[in-house]
């Protein structure tokens, strides 16, 4: 893409060879809650090959296939992947905000990271919304829907395995710090539940479980008195301190939570739903995946391969997953409910018929 100065921008990459996916705004029909959302605007992360560590987000009009003139653009000070999330059609939040002063950066050795959450409205400059401790490593953000309002959830990484949480109302700018143990790792948000992974046993949930905590309870500001254990790993054998399965990817749709699980080194996809007040799980079978081969299933995004604002996923009822093993070409599946349909498969690199 050529910019106004005659130079060309290229997609920013994730550190390997994959372009970073766009962050797109789901537009829902207020008259039909079951209708699929429409994605007209996306934020693309671009880089200038001529200038090291020069990258930025630009707003892209999907229907007209062009960048928006008065777009919600954000310049970044480095090529690290800072979170940018849609708040509404004219507002985004980002952790890339910095005024260049030391006070707006963390004290992370080697690479200092932004310590301020910024709020940017169309045709306005970024305004500070929330600040984390400068002693933390870095932070991530999510935008979640609760009681007809979009809230900004801030995940502050004290250490790689220790975290603090707060939620900010962008309208009132009031923040609430969650009284949670630091060993809980954020996994997502689903229908008023904050999804976390405890690395230690906690309130009846085993380490490695998927736990849901109601946003209403967290916003009250007190200690957590009730949790919902949505999924629990199984021990290798009765009494064993080690688990035979664990999950490594989580994503949500309008009606369910999906887990990519390694079960005795075999990849499986599970769907979690609440039925009559109880959480149940069933396996989603990927047709064509070889059950006798140790494959891995990765939840790559929602329908159309778009990486949306994660906390706003509940508008969509499908997602994409990728299946890989040593003998089969990589395959992409569209998952809706408990049904999975292959939509694309890479060309094979060799003849595996003599191996399987």
């Amino acid at each position: 893409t050529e910019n106004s100065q005659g130079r060309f921008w290229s997609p920013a990459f994730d550190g390997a060879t994959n372009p970073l996916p766009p962050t797109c705004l789901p537009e829902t029909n207020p008259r039909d809650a079951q209708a699929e959302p429409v994605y007209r605007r996306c934020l693309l992360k671009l880089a200038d090959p001529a200038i090291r560590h020069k990258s930025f987000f630009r707003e892209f009009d999907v229907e007209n296939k062009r960048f928006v003139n008065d777009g919600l653009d954000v310049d970044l000070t480095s090529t690290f992947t800072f979170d940018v999330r849609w708040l509404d059609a004219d507002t985004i939040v980002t952790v890339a905000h910095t005024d260049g002063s030391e006070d707006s950066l963390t004290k992370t050795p080697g690479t200092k990271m932004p310590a301020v959450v910024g709020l940017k409205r169309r045709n306005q400059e970024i305004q500070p919304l929330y600040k984390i401790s400068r002693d933390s490593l870095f932070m991530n953000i999510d935008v979640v829907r609760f009681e007809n309002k979009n809230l900004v959830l801030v995940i502050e990484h004290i250490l790689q395995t220790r975290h603090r949480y707060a939620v900010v109302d962008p309208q009132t700018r009031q923040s609430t710090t969650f009284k949670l143990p630091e060993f809980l790792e954020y996994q997502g948000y689903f229908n008023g539940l904050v999804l976390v992974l405890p690395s230690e046993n906690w309130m009846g949930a085993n380490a490695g479980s998927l736990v849901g905590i109601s946003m209403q309870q967290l916003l009250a500001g007190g200690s957590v008195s009730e949790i919902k254990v949505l999924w629990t790993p199984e021990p290798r054998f009765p009494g064993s301190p080690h688990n035979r399965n664990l999950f490594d990817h989580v994503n949500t749709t309008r009606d369910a939570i999906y887990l990519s699980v390694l079960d005795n080194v075999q990849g499986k996809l599970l769907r979690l739903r609440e039925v009559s007040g109880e959480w149940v799980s069933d396996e989603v079978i990927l047709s064509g995946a070889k059950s006798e081969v140790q494959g891995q299933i990765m939840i790559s995004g929602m329908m159309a391969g778009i990486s949306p604002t994660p906390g706003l996923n509940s508008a969509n009822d499908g997602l994409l997953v990728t299946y890989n093993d040593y003998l089969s070409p990589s395959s992409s599946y569209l998952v809706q409910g408990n049904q999975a349909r292959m939509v694309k498969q890479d060309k094979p690199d060799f003849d595996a018929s003599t191996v399987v």
Side-chain angles (χ1 to χ4, degrees):
T1 302
E2 186 176 6
N3 66 8
S4 59
Q5 286 76 41
R7 288 216 300 270
F8 288 84
W9 304 108
S10 63
F13 288 77
D14 63 1
T17 58
N18 302 312
L20 292 168
T23 298
C24 300
L25 174 70
E27 299 179 41
T28 57
N29 185 349
R31 297 181 180 179
D32 186 359
Q34 299 302 313
E36 287 299 314
V38 178
Y39 299 90
R40 297 186 177 92
R41 296 293 177 92
C42 295
L43 294 171
L44 305 184
K45 188 177 182 183
L46 304 175
D48 184 352
I51 304 177
R52 185 182 181 188
H53 296 327
K54 176 64 176 179
S55 60
F56 61 94
F57 283 93
R58 290 195 65 186
E59 184 179 359
F60 188 77
D61 185 335
V62 177
E63 289 185 326
N64 297 309
K65 297 181 175 59
R66 61 178 178 82
F67 289 103
V68 180
N69 290 332
D70 59 344
L72 292 164
D73 301 343
V74 178
D75 285 328
L76 305 180
T77 55
S78 76
T79 54
F80 288 105
T81 308
F82 298 124
D83 279 352
V84 174
R85 298 284 183 260
W86 289 92
L87 192 63
D88 56 49
D90 294 306
T91 315
I92 58 175
V93 287
T94 173
V95 302
H97 169 66
T98 172
D99 58 10
S101 68
E102 290 292 314
D103 191 52
S104 67
L105 301 171
T106 66
K107 300 176 182 178
T108 310
T111 303
K112 297 181 179 180
M113 306 295 281
V116 178
V117 178
L119 180 72
K120 179 176 174 59
R121 293 186 171 90
R122 193 174 300 278
N123 298 320
Q124 296 183 19
E125 296 296 324
I126 295 178
Q127 298 297 322
L129 181 65
Y130 184 83
K131 184 178 179 181
I132 65 170
S133 169
R134 294 192 62 206
D135 293 324
S136 296
L137 297 179
F138 61 97
M139 65 172 157
N140 296 110
I141 56 175
D142 198 356
V143 174
V144 299
R145 188 77 173 170
F146 181 72
E147 294 185 349
N148 298 320
K149 292 196 301 184
N150 286 345
L151 304 176
V152 181
L153 181 62
V154 181
I155 303 99
E156 183 177 352
H157 301 266
I158 309 167
L159 299 171
Q160 291 293 344
T161 58
R162 291 292 183 265
H163 319 277
R164 282 195 292 257
Y165 301 92
V167 70
V168 186
D169 186 334
Q171 299 298 324
T172 64
R173 295 181 175 266
Q174 292 183 339
S175 63
T176 302
T177 301
F178 295 164
K179 294 184 178 180
L180 293 173
E182 295 177 351
F183 55 74
L184 299 180
E185 181 180 352
Y186 181 67
Q187 299 296 316
Y189 182 82
F190 179 76
N191 290 354
L193 290 178
V194 176
L195 308 179
V196 295
L197 165 71
S199 59
E200 303 176 14
N201 295 341
W202 178 60
M203 293 187 65
N206 295 336
S209 300
L210 182 64
V211 173
I213 312 170
S214 72
M215 177 63 79
Q216 184 176 13
Q217 183 180 192
L218 293 169
L219 288 174
S223 300
V224 173
S225 59
E226 181 183 359
I227 64 173
K228 294 184 177 181
V229 181
L230 312 183
W231 180 83
T232 301
E234 300 175 3
R236 290 183 180 176
F237 52 85
S240 172
H242 304 290
N243 298 326
R244 61 165 285 156
N245 52 12
L246 57 89
F247 71 85
D248 55 355
H249 293 92
V250 181
N251 209 332
T252 62
T253 63
R254 183 172 56 211
D255 304 314
I257 302 170
Y258 289 85
L259 302 183
S260 171
V261 176
L262 282 176
D263 187 354
N264 201 20
V265 202
Q266 175 65 50
K268 292 183 178 181
L269 181 65
L270 302 180
R271 178 182 64 156
L272 305 182
R273 296 173 299 145
E274 188 174 20
V275 180
S276 301
E278 299 291 333
W279 284 88
V280 298
S281 68
D282 57 324
E283 183 178 356
V284 180
I285 303 299
L286 305 185
S287 59
K290 301 180 182 300
S291 59
E292 68 275 11
V293 179
Q294 294 179 346
Q296 183 181 15
I297 298 173
M298 298 182 62
I299 301 176
S300 54
M302 49 166 295
M303 281 209 305
I306 297 173
S307 175
T309 296
L312 303 182
N313 261 19
S314 57
N316 203 288
D317 74 341
L319 74 160
L320 286 176
V321 301
T322 302
Y323 173 81
N324 295 284
D325 63 42
Y326 293 110
L327 302 177
S328 306
S330 178
S331 306
S332 295
Y333 289 81
L334 172 61
V335 178
Q336 292 178 292
N338 65 346
Q339 303 296 316
R341 175 172 58 90
M342 185 186 296
V343 293
K344 185 178 180 181
Q345 187 176 57
D346 291 345
K347 294 181 179 180
D349 294 325
F350 61 94
D351 182 9
S353 61
T354 60
V355 181
V356 179

